[in-house]
Amino acid sequence: MKGNKTIFVCSECGYVSPKWMGKCQACGAWNTMTEEAPTPPQAKSSAVKRNAIAGGVSHAVTLSTYEIPEYFRDSTGMGEFDRVLGGGLVDGSVVLLSGEPGIGKSTLLMQISAALGESKKVMYISGEESGGQLKLRSRRLGIVGDNIYLLTETNIDSILAEVDKIKPDILIVDSIQTIYSPESASSPGSVTQVKECALAFIARSKNTGFSTILVGHVNKEGGIAGPKVLEHMVDAVLCFEGDRQQTYRIIRAVKNRYGSTNEIGVFEMTDKGLEEVPNPSEMLLAGRPKDTPGNCALCSIEGTRPIIAEIQALVTPTVFPSPRRTANGIDYNRMYLILAVLEKRLGLRFSANDVYLNVIGGLELDEPAADMSVALAMISSLTDKVIPDDLIALGELGLSGECRAVSNLDARLHEAARLGFTRAVVPYRNTERRNRDFDIELIPVKTIYDALRVLKKQE
Ligand code: TYD
Ligand code: MG
């Protein structure tokens, strides 16, 4: 009979197909179709009913008469996390926090629970760790937790019953992939289960008005495991980035209905949990090698904040006909473009060399304003000429080798001056209408060739 057949669901986008496919028709992902039992019709309707957001009858109003609701925000006790959220956790919002295993999600949530618990009732659902493990971690972090209610449970019905009893202000679910609904025939962790349980939490949160933070695992490619729809259902998606081997962690907002998506929060993992890094530039510049060719400082605007980092280039001769190129922290294609411009406009022979690029500290740059630093770092390594330590380079590189203007120059120069830089290579266009002055000498350049001359003069 038709109803008894299994179905195949894409673990990326939730697309349902009656037969198995190597590639999902809807999102194009490979090897993502997993076999699941079909949802019986009654179960589906009861689940839908349970998830339906109650709220009486709605009426349409004109935009002009609509009143802006007041958003109340709670501070999480960590300025860096508040910043990514857009100024604190909005009451009644649903936030998805994703990241690789072991990066520090549970640690961060335990720490913010302690801060939020000072004035609010926090409920921490753990489907991964036992109460003992949670207690051990909280002791390590020095948290007492009088107002934090722990529940180690994975059945959504039992969880929601307990939530109704405790009536928390903030609910933390660690992690959504471990929660299952016994009504659904699919196995725990499957797309259908994750979707259903997330919907149930979101509905309960919106009806009762508590805030929810869901933890989501990431898959091999770095996306949030489970259906993409999860991202559409929540108010904010925050991603934890960083290397487990390194101590620095960056939280980035991928989506935020209550704030900017450009802000990043920087943390350091210590033996007492995550500590905020309010001055990322200082952290990124600490231990900078001095007088070494191939290094150049740059300033990138992350959200509203200028961050100074350093780019390192290593250009080494190769005997192979197709040289190696690797780029860490900057766009691979952007590196090729800059190399092509340097090769063509300056006649530098990069094609006979391997090129390795790395942005220090695991920062990901997607700003063209870093072009000039990338170009200078590569030239410096190729020619073995040092770029002075007190010099910072700003500017976008055009295809004709011209140096194009950058946005927010004042903010960038201010940060550079604060960190002790005394000279800045800036696009000439930016200096035409300048009326503010900083403690930093400006070196206006029109083309990459100008920038090169400036450096040579200082040798
Ligand atoms: P965890 O928060 O459990 O990661 P996730 O929930 O994202 O899987 O923790 C991660 C790592 O952090 C773990 O390897 C141990 C380390 N850690 C510290 O270095 N210091 C600490 O104070 C704590 C609690 C953990
Ligand atoms: Mg965890």
Side-chain angles (χ1 to χ4, degrees), residues 122-141:
V122 182
M123 191 164 170
Y124 194 111
I125 319 278
S126 181
E128 298 192 346
E129 290 164 305
S130 66
Q133 286 169 316
L134 291 171
K135 180 76 194 172
L136 270 178
R137 174 177 297 127
S138 67
R139 187 179 294 163
R140 185 170 171 185
L141 297 170

Side-chain angles (χ1 to χ4, degrees), residues 50-222:
R50 191 187 58 208
N51 295 336
I53 297 178
V57 185
S58 328
H59 298 286
V61 288
T62 57
L63 181 62
S64 57
T65 54
Y66 201 89
E67 289 191 14
I68 300 173
E70 209 173 328
Y71 293 130
F72 292 101
R73 293 181 187 262
D74 298 315
S75 169
T76 60
M78 290 198 141
E80 288 291 299
F81 195 59
D82 285 350
R83 173 206 297 278
V84 186
L85 285 167
L89 186 63
V90 174
D91 282 358
S93 64
V94 181
V95 177
L96 178 66
L97 177 69
S98 75
E100 284 174 27
I103 198 143
K105 300 179 294 294
S106 307
T107 307
L108 177 81
L109 291 175
M110 187 57 90
Q111 285 178 273
I112 66 168
S113 297
L116 290 165
E118 279 173 19
S119 55
K120 304 262 170 170
K121 209 191 253 184
V122 182
M123 191 164 170
Y124 194 111
I125 319 278
S126 181
E128 298 192 346
E129 290 164 305
S130 66
Q133 286 169 316
L134 291 171
K135 180 76 194 172
L136 270 178
R137 174 177 297 127
S138 67
R139 187 179 294 163
R140 185 170 171 185
L141 297 170
I143 294 167
V144 186
D146 283 332
N147 234 354
I148 306 175
Y149 292 79
L150 295 183
L151 177 65
T152 47
E153 175 62 69
T154 51
N155 181 329
I156 184 129
D157 292 331
S158 322
I159 294 174
L160 289 178
E162 197 63 17
V163 167
D164 288 341
K165 215 156 74 197
I166 305 269
K167 294 193 175 50
D169 300 305
I170 289 134
L171 180 73
I172 293 174
V173 183
D174 188 1
S175 67
I176 187 71
Q177 272 96 353
T178 54
I179 312 294
Y180 76 99
S181 160
E183 274 173 41
S184 170
S186 316
S187 54
S190 68
V191 187
T192 319
Q193 285 280 11
V194 170
K195 221 160 90 177
E196 274 239 341
C197 296
L199 261 178
F201 281 121
I202 294 167
R204 192 60 62 98
S205 157
K206 297 287 172 195
N207 289 342
T208 349
F210 58 77
S211 327
T212 306
I213 303 180
L214 304 173
V215 171
H217 288 296
V218 294
N219 56 19
K220 288 193 293 295
E221 286 80 36

Side-chain angles (χ1 to χ4, degrees), residues 440-455:
I440 190 161
E441 182 198 335
L442 299 187
I443 308 170
V445 296
K446 282 183 177 162
T447 63
I448 178 72
Y449 190 69
D450 286 349
L452 206 57
R453 276 213 308 259
V454 170
L455 291 184

